[in-house]
Amino acid sequence: MSRTLRLDAVLVQAVIAGALSFAHLHDLAAAAGQDGWKAWAYPVSVDLLLVAAWRRMRTDADNRDAWLWFAIALVASLGANVATAGLLDLNNVPPWLRILVAGWPALAFLGGTLLAHAPAPAREPEPTDQPEVEPAPDVTVERAPEPAPELPPAEPAPQSAPPEPAPDRPAVPVPPALLDHAQKIADAHQAQTGSPIDSATLRSRLGVPPALADAIAVQLA
């Protein structure tokens, strides 16, 4: 209820102030030689320019042209209110005031055209109330292992050639005296151990090379 009453009071105050300003502008225009409907058109022109500049200022507060034309329209409105308050003889209007009143239509037309065709500032898109979409859980897709391609049967490996028999070692000549001495050692060894002597033992007893020991062992067998 209180909000409705306050809003109505503001509207009433605006209507009263607008009517008084409208009447003062009409009286000034009529005193400057603008009679008939022309005197009534001047207040409309001033107030419309004031409203147009104010609306442009609301949409673009940094627009200098809007502030400039708002100030011009406000000075025109305040000037008419002050001039008709007894500070100016309406029966003897000075020439400069007649020039200002006569040139106002062109000035108001210029200001209204510039304000109407000024580019509007780009508006940021308003955020829309959309439900938050939960991120989809990470899904790991396991692919079944593909069967390995069947390989062709391996070709049978070529039969390797039988190993060539090792060449017979050339017979190592054994001196007869050494052979007799080796025979005695072999007999003693067999008498002690009960088994024939081998080439390794014979080589260690005689102190001869392996090839000569093998040759002696072959002849003693």
Side-chain angles (χ1 to χ4, degrees):
M1 182 66 69
S2 60
R3 184 177 179 181
T4 304
L5 292 176
R6 184 175 62 182
L7 182 60
D8 293 341
V10 171
L11 289 177
V12 171
Q13 177 66 22
V15 171
I16 294 175
L20 292 175
S21 177
F22 196 91
H24 292 161
L25 287 169
H26 170 268
D27 296 342
L28 183 63
Q34 306 295 328
D35 53 353
W37 65 270
K38 293 181 290 184
W40 293 105
Y42 273 87
V44 177
S45 175
V46 174
D47 292 342
L48 286 180
L49 182 60
L50 193 66
V51 172
W54 173 75
R55 291 190 60 182
R56 179 62 64 180
M57 289 165 53
R58 286 191 61 186
T59 56
D60 187 6
D62 297 332
N63 194 329
R64 296 182 179 179
D65 293 341
W67 283 95
L68 174 63
W69 291 108
F70 182 82
I72 292 175
L74 184 62
V75 169
S77 180
L78 290 177
N81 294 333
V82 173
T84 56
L87 299 179
L88 183 65
D89 185 8
L90 296 180
N91 295 323
N92 187 14
V93 177
W96 61 266
L97 183 57
R98 293 178 180 272
I99 296 174
L100 289 179
V101 172
W104 173 256
L107 185 64
F109 176 78
L110 176 63
T113 303
L114 293 178
L115 291 174
H117 293 281
R123 295 183 179 179
E124 298 181 357
E126 298 180 357
T128 56
D129 297 336
Q130 296 182 354
E132 297 182 357
V133 179
E134 296 182 357
D138 296 337
V139 179
T140 304
V141 180
E142 297 182 357
R143 298 182 60 183
E146 298 180 358
E150 297 182 358
L151 300 177
E155 297 180 359
Q159 297 181 357
S160 58
E164 297 180 358
D168 297 337
R169 293 180 179 178
V172 178
V174 180
L178 182 60
L179 184 60
D180 293 340
H181 182 63
Q183 185 65 49
K184 293 178 180 180
I185 294 175
D187 295 340
H189 179 78
Q190 188 171 5
Q192 291 178 0
T193 61
S195 58
I197 192 171
D198 55 342
S199 61
T201 305
L202 187 62
R203 183 186 60 186
S204 63
R205 295 285 182 91
L206 295 175
V208 295
L212 183 56
D214 292 342
I216 294 172
V218 169
Q219 294 187 20
L220 293 178

